[in-house]
Amino acid sequence: MSDEYTKINVNIGGCKNCLSSLHHLLEKYADIKEYTISSEKNLISIHPVHVKRVTSLLKFVGLDMKDVDNHLSVYSKDSKTESNDDIYFLPELDDNSQITSRRSKRKRLDSHHPTMKQNDHCIIASELVAILPHEVECCRPHLVPGWCVAVYSGHHLSKINQYLQSSVPLPGELSHIKRIDSCRSYENKSTYVFLQIAKPSYTWLDANETLDSMVQLLQLNSSDHQIISTSPTPCWIPLRAPITRKHQLLYSFSNESQEKRFSSFRNSLNKPIILGWPSTLRACPELEELVNVGRSLSLSCFSELELKKHSLWLERVSTLSKQAQELKNIHPQSCAGVGGPACAVIIVDPESNIALTESTTPTTTSDISWLDHAALLAVSAVAKLKGNTGNQYSDSYLCTGFDAYFSLEPCLMCGMALLHNRIRRVFCCQKLAGDGAFTNASRLHVQEQLNHRFRVFSPP
Amino acid sequence: MDIAFELACEALRCNEVPVGCAFVYNGEVIASGRNEVNATRDATQHAEMVTIRRLEQWCRNNQKELDKILVECDLFVTVEPCIMCAAAIRFCLPAHLKSITYGARNERFGGCGSVLSVHNSPSAVAPLNCISGVEAEAAVELLKKFYAQENENAPEELRKRKRVM
């Protein structure tokens, strides 16, 4: 009897770290083989006998789920009753408990509005934010189950660390995990030490055995204020290294409200569940500057003078599109599709702050092409400009070093045309929900497989 | 597909990335073209884009409506359309092609599965009907010749502008 797989809608929003922690949870922790994940369709297909268990785990780590099939009720009784460690890692009230509060969940994509309002244009550059890879923007902690133990702070910690390092070394992929949780404060000058990732080959029993061996060999005892608990404590740790300072804080659950909210998590055995873990951040100052664009002026990559220049171009491109909009005829040349708003593009040399070309659609020429979106018109105009010998741009390579200002975020065709032309930066007055090249799933400007990457700024 | 390959060979002789394509309507080639990026110094002049514009011109000359022609057209192209061209074909034209047949995969920019799956990504617009791998080896050979040609020309043309993929 071959069962059809049950489909679970789960929104990971394009984040590769969410995808890898999802795979880890299902494959390496839960030891499930019968599943597939389609990140494009935000869909998990899984054998029905696993659905009840998987939905509990996913709900706890804060993934949005919808429309779980009715198979759940049929198979809930037939779920495999083989022993696993979920009882340690899931809280008692698992129907109401979720790690991620609603505030920190990723904002859902705006609903698609075919007729976009012109007055939604943002022409103040300081209000734009950098559009970054999904992993940078993701607000989930990417937690996976592990084991730790409560100990008192003191000199014996180095002995414990050395012992664990030799008996249960951490795999290379967890090199960001600090073995001793010395950053967060617990009661009674205590702290936690991470033992190992939880998996079928390292269960509570294995962790307990490691603990017993360690206690015996190092002659630890509770009366000398060295060790507190004599059994492993379940914890959820971040599977991936933090990318920004924001992630480092998020992963360690150091935020005050975060800590208060989750510090009292307990499983059905009334044992604490430790959430998050201190992680090593490999700092990337350039990325931190981008993260702060539109949020903290002094920390971002733009000076106030630069922002003024950008604002003037944004105002100009917005004005151009409004003028073009007054032509009022339905036209095929909008990145938002037939019936979409007029579009305008300006390509600027930021070194001289001079516009190389301004393009708007609709155009009034008779031999109109469905491909003649404003961006394609603009880059072709730059190509022709360079074709004329003698001007300062003859020898430059395509649009290398140039900025592009858009009244509306370009579509996939136009976004890729900019990539082929090696644009340097793109500024958009308005996002194109669903079909835009930069703020949706594709994010062409940060695709690792493509041979050019550039910066994009748009309203949040 | 033969005409597409003839055009790809022509592109190779002209130091262009060897991609050729043709639109077939009622068994007849009504538009064709090849990569013209280097000649025009315009990185958007891929074979597919050039040929779509020629198809539009053919429709104007013959007083046909583009959308009615597209639904009966098959596109033959030697290399998988890039993300830009796949997006143009699927999202920017007024109707869907009957089919797209291509040869080699495009590992650098492919929009029909190699880099992104523009051809069938979730959307309100229907997916493209793609047939892949037709005469792929011949297309790969042309690409290899192009890269070998690039290397051979490099010392003598140091002053010339970089080639555009």
Side-chain angles (χ1 to χ4, degrees):
Chain A
M1 49 180 184
S2 62
D3 304 285
E4 262 197 20
Y5 275 20
T6 301
K7 290 183 168 60
I8 304 175
N9 279 292
V10 56
N11 182 18
I12 61 182
C15 173
K16 290 194 184 74
N17 291 340
C18 284
L19 183 62
S20 63
S21 54
L22 200 50
H23 274 297
H24 178 102
L25 204 55
L26 299 185
E27 184 180 350
K28 295 186 178 175
Y29 168 70
D31 200 23
I32 294 172
K33 303 291 191 293
E34 309 98 322
Y35 79 92
T36 59
I37 302 178
S38 166
S39 56
E40 269 195 0
K41 299 176 181 174
N42 285 325
L43 212 56
I44 300 174
S45 297
I46 191 165
H47 196 286
V49 299
H50 302 300
V51 167
K52 186 169 192 296
R53 183 184 184 197
V54 165
T55 49
S56 298
L57 290 169
L58 298 190
K59 186 187 291 185
F60 182 64
V61 298
L63 289 167
D64 303 336
M65 284 183 294
K66 329 167 192 173
D67 304 332
V68 181
D69 290 358
N70 293 330
H71 291 315
L72 187 58
S73 57
V74 175
Y75 279 94
S76 60
K77 297 178 180 177
D78 295 335
S79 295
K80 295 183 178 178
T81 52
E82 63 180 351
S83 65
N84 58 53
D85 289 324
D86 291 358
I87 191 172
Y88 295 102
F89 291 110
L90 294 179
E92 189 168 13
L93 306 173
D94 65 336
D95 285 337
N96 298 320
S97 306
Q98 257 191 356
I99 286 179
T100 310
S101 63
R102 293 210 167 186
R103 295 175 188 173
S104 58
K105 284 181 180 176
R106 287 175 58 91
K107 295 180 180 177
R108 297 176 180 230
L109 289 177
D110 303 333
S111 56
H112 191 77
H113 294 297
T115 54
M116 312 176 82
K117 302 176 180 177
Q118 286 292 109
N119 50 355
D120 287 344
H121 281 187
C122 173
I123 58 174
I124 302 174
S126 58
E127 292 179 4
L128 302 185
V129 298
I131 305 302
L132 299 168
H134 296 287
E135 294 75 45
V136 179
E137 295 189 359
C138 184
C139 291
R140 289 192 196 90
H142 308 121
L143 300 182
V144 294
W147 303 107
C148 63
V149 61
V151 299
Y152 288 106
S153 304
H155 296 299
H156 54 282
L157 281 178
S158 59
K159 287 195 298 180
I160 291 175
N161 193 18
Q162 287 171 29
Y163 176 85
L164 293 174
Q165 204 62 24
S166 60
S167 64
V168 281
L170 293 181
E173 61 188 4
L174 293 183
S175 59
H176 59 282
I177 294 292
K178 303 183 180 184
R179 201 94 205 214
I180 300 171
D181 179 0
S182 54
C183 304
R184 302 184 289 187
S185 59
Y186 295 96
E187 298 172 358
N188 302 329
K189 294 184 181 178
S190 62
T191 189
Y192 283 93
V193 176
F194 184 69
L195 296 178
Q196 188 56 266
I197 277 283
K199 43 191 172 181
S201 62
Y202 200 81
T203 64
W204 185 93
L205 293 174
D206 300 294
N208 197 42
E209 191 173 319
T210 299
L211 191 54
D212 283 348
S213 301
M214 184 176 75
V215 168
Q216 287 181 25
L217 190 64
L218 302 183
Q219 296 175 13
L220 306 171
N221 54 75
S222 54
S223 59
D224 283 347
H225 283 74
Q226 289 176 333
I227 201 158
I228 295 172
S229 55
T230 53
S231 61
T233 302
C235 60
W236 290 78
I237 65 161
L239 179 65
R240 289 289 185 244
I243 305 172
T244 62
R245 220 175 306 280
K246 177 191 73 176
H247 287 102
Q248 193 179 33
L249 290 175
L250 174 72
Y251 286 4
S252 62
F253 281 61
S254 300
N255 181 280
E256 265 197 18
S257 60
Q258 210 179 12
E259 201 164 342
K260 288 178 182 175
R261 179 179 173 87
F262 300 116
S263 62
S264 58
F265 262 117
R266 290 184 169 265
N267 57 28
S268 57
L269 306 174
N270 202 30
K271 299 293 184 181
I273 303 172
I274 303 301
L275 296 179
W277 201 269
S279 306
T280 302
L281 168 68
R282 181 171 296 175
C284 180
E286 187 175 302
L287 186 57
E288 298 290 346
E289 283 185 345
L290 286 172
V291 168
N292 282 298
V293 169
R295 297 180 174 94
S296 176
L297 175 60
S298 58
L299 298 176
S300 84
C301 57
F302 291 127
S303 67
E304 237 174 302
L305 181 61
E306 284 176 290
L307 290 173
K308 282 177 183 173
K309 288 182 184 177
H310 296 314
S311 294
L312 288 176
W313 289 118
L314 291 169
E315 186 176 0
R316 170 67 181 163
V317 79
S318 177
T319 300
L320 285 175
S321 70
K322 285 169 184 170
Q323 290 169 359
Q325 186 69 31
E326 288 167 8
L327 299 180
K328 287 183 181 177
N329 38 315
I330 300 292
H331 62 95
Q333 295 166 284
S334 174
C335 283
V338 177
C343 299
V345 178
I346 306 174
I347 295 186
V348 172
D349 177 5
E351 288 187 359
S352 61
N353 205 35
I354 290 176
L356 280 75
T357 185
E358 296 179 343
S359 301
T360 57
T361 54
T363 57
T364 53
T365 55
S366 56
D367 57 348
I368 227 167
S369 167
W370 287 75
L371 304 181
D372 284 340
H373 290 199
L376 262 69
L377 295 175
V379 296
S380 293
V382 171
K384 291 191 180 75
L385 176 67
K386 292 184 304 182
N388 303 329
T389 55
N391 67 63
Q392 68 193 90
Y393 299 111
S394 297
D395 295 326
S396 63
Y397 179 57
L398 303 172
C399 291
T400 300
F402 297 159
D403 291 339
Y405 298 86
F406 280 81
S407 58
L408 177 67
E409 178 185 358
C411 64
L412 268 184
M413 174 182 75
C414 294
M416 194 63 188
L418 294 171
L419 191 143
H420 283 312
N421 279 279
R422 303 288 208 274
I423 200 76
R424 176 190 176 205
R425 292 182 301 197
V426 173
F427 299 82
C428 307
C429 293
Q430 189 175 29
K431 294 197 321 192
L432 177 54
D435 300 318
F438 304 129
T439 67
N440 297 285
S442 303
R443 310 234 159 169
L444 292 186
H445 61 300
V446 290
Q447 278 284 338
E448 292 170 0
Q449 281 177 270
L450 300 171
N451 67 350
H452 176 61
R453 273 162 288 281
F454 50 100
R455 296 183 180 181
V456 170
F457 305 91
S458 84
Chain B
M1 198 59 132
D2 289 341
I3 289 181
F5 270 97
E6 284 176 25
L7 289 163
C9 291
E10 179 187 318
L12 182 64
R13 289 194 295 273
C14 297
N15 281 327
E16 298 278 1
V17 178
V19 181
C21 73
F23 280 103
V24 175
Y25 173 75
N26 286 343
E28 182 183 344
V29 174
I30 59 175
S32 61
R34 59 162 175 86
N35 197 299
E36 296 183 6
V37 167
N38 290 334
T40 61
R41 290 215 209 181
D42 183 343
T44 63
Q45 297 301 309
H46 287 196
E48 297 91 328
M49 306 292 270
V50 169
T51 306
I52 288 168
R53 291 175 190 277
R54 290 182 182 165
L55 177 65
E56 288 174 305
Q57 190 60 45
W58 182 91
C59 288
R60 279 191 286 267
N61 292 345
N62 293 270
Q63 288 165 26
K64 306 283 189 180
E65 290 184 42
L66 179 62
D67 52 346
K68 293 184 170 55
I69 298 297
L70 283 169
V71 294
E72 297 297 330
C73 255
D74 299 294
L75 170 62
F76 295 87
V77 57
T78 56
V79 177
E80 174 187 1
C82 76
I83 292 164
M84 174 181 70
C85 297
I89 293 165
R90 184 177 179 197
F91 295 116
C92 301
L93 297 179
H96 266 84
L97 287 169
K98 200 164 75 175
S99 72
I100 297 173
T101 302
Y102 65 84
R105 283 166 57 93
N106 186 345
E107 300 290 354
R108 295 193 183 191
F109 300 108
C112 296
S114 293
V115 177
L116 291 183
S117 298
V118 176
H119 66 307
N120 67 359
S121 60
S123 171
V125 179
L128 300 176
N129 180 19
C130 289
I131 303 160
S132 63
V134 176
E135 300 188 51
E137 290 179 7
V140 169
E141 280 305 308
L142 285 178
L143 290 170
K144 287 181 178 177
K145 285 180 181 176
F146 175 76
Y147 294 125
Q149 190 169 283
E150 283 278 275
N151 291 333
E152 189 173 328
N153 290 337
E156 300 178 357
E157 301 180 1
L158 281 175
R159 293 182 182 177
K160 293 189 178 180
R161 63 185 182 279
K162 291 165 65 180
R163 299 303 175 185
V164 181
M165 161 47 95

